[in-house]
């Protein structure tokens, strides 16, 4: 398995894991931390910013898993790498 496939599956899992807290906070109307807050990474962002950041994370995860990593859901190594990235995040 090429190294770029391994990295894409791993980081696809990381970005997928980062999608969920921001999407939940945005959908429930709660302010939550994002890199776009003031001060960065310490302040709270609005629910709209959290939803946009969640969608960005989902798009990056999709691009990494499907286009770069050519993720195959029935492949144990692909799923394992994505799950490790998801769990570590």
């Amino acid at each position: 398995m090429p190294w770029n496939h391994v990295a894409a599956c791993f980081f696809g899992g990381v970005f997928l894991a980062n999608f969920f807290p921001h999407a939940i906070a945005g959908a429930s109307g709660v302010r939550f931390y994002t890199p776009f807050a003031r001060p960065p990474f310490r302040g709270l962002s609005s629910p709209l910013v959290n939803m946009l950041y969640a969608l960005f994370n989902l798009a990056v995860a999709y691009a990494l898993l499907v286009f770069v990593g050519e993720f195959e859901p029935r492949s144990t190594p692909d799923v394992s790498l994505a799950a490790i990235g998801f769990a570590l995040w």
Side-chain angles (χ1 to χ4, degrees):
M1 182 180 304
W3 69 269
N4 60 342
H5 182 83
V6 172
C9 287
F10 178 82
F11 285 107
V14 169
F15 277 96
L16 186 62
N18 200 33
F19 159 78
F20 287 104
H22 294 284
I24 291 169
S28 61
V30 177
R31 296 174 63 82
F32 193 67
Y33 302 100
T34 67
F36 310 109
R38 299 214 192 271
F41 297 103
R42 290 191 310 247
L44 299 174
S45 293
S46 70
L48 176 63
V49 171
N50 274 291
M51 285 304 294
L52 293 173
Y53 189 55
L55 292 174
F56 168 76
N57 279 295
L58 186 62
V60 171
Y62 181 79
L64 285 172
L65 290 172
V66 174
F67 295 120
V68 178
E70 298 173 0
F71 184 78
E72 179 59 45
R74 294 184 181 183
S75 170
T76 303
D78 289 356
V79 173
S80 298
L81 286 167
I84 290 169
F86 190 98
L88 287 177
W89 187 249

